Amino acid sequence: MKYLVKFLTLTLVFSIIGCDDDDPVTIASVVAPPTISSELNGSTVVLTEATSNNIAVTFTWSPADFDVTTVENYELLMSMAGNEFASQHSFGSTSNTFVSITAGDFNNLLTDPDIFNQTIMRDADDNIIPAQMEAKVVASLGNLEMES
């Protein structure tokens, strides 16, 4: 009986001490979207067979702020300028804040009939007219998404 009373007393003491408030629940919210910092405004990328394996451009962006400390996923999307990303290409998902694209990747992107089907356009003097493209970054954390 002594042992039973001691056991019940210890159980009661540990039950009271062991009870703690629930851990706080953190809810992510959209605070600041990623911002592309390697704009190519007006830059020209020359695509040749000789440079197809060379990195043509590296896009970098600031980390998105979801108001929680966690790893976000990013997706770089490219589209022809002016079509509001109606036909776009994704360069995959990454947790990095940069994506490097080779000249060959650009060439494949521009000639893909399902995405851009960009034919080489020339002016009256037979000079190639550069294709204009746009890029944006979509940051995601679970079901939350925001774009640059």
Side-chain angles (χ1 to χ4, degrees):
M1 185 74 159
K2 261 197 297 192
Y3 294 111
L4 183 60
V5 172
K6 286 181 183 179
F7 175 73
L8 290 175
T9 304
L10 283 174
T11 304
L12 180 64
V13 169
F14 284 119
S15 295
I16 292 171
I17 293 172
C19 291
D20 203 358
D21 291 337
D22 291 336
D23 291 333
V25 176
T26 303
I27 298 175
S29 60
V30 175
V31 176
T35 304
I36 295 178
S37 58
S38 58
E39 292 286 334
L40 297 176
N41 290 335
S43 297
T44 302
V45 177
V46 179
L47 308 175
T48 66
E49 276 189 54
T51 62
S52 65
N53 292 325
N54 296 349
I55 293 176
V57 65
T58 298
F59 287 92
T60 58
W61 53 87
S62 63
D65 186 358
F66 285 101
D67 204 27
V68 293
T69 304
T70 187
V71 177
E72 298 88 8
N73 289 315
Y74 300 100
E75 181 179 22
L76 176 68
L77 301 173
M78 293 196 70
S79 177
M80 294 304 291
N83 79 354
E84 302 295 324
F85 290 87
S87 62
Q88 61 191 14
H89 175 73
S90 169
F91 284 94
S93 183
T94 181
S95 59
N96 295 321
T97 55
F98 66 91
V99 169
S100 296
I101 303 170
T102 65
D105 290 340
F106 264 125
N107 190 48
N108 292 338
L109 177 66
L110 289 170
T111 58
D112 186 336
D114 294 329
I115 300 172
F116 296 113
N117 198 20
Q118 182 68 29
T119 57
I120 296 174
M121 297 172 53
R122 297 184 181 271
D123 63 13
D125 296 326
D126 203 33
N127 297 315
I128 295 175
I129 300 172
Q132 295 183 0
M133 302 181 73
E134 297 176 324
K136 70 178 177 180
V137 175
V138 177
S140 61
L141 180 67
N143 291 334
L144 286 176
E145 283 190 353
M146 65 175 133
E147 41 186 72
S148 60

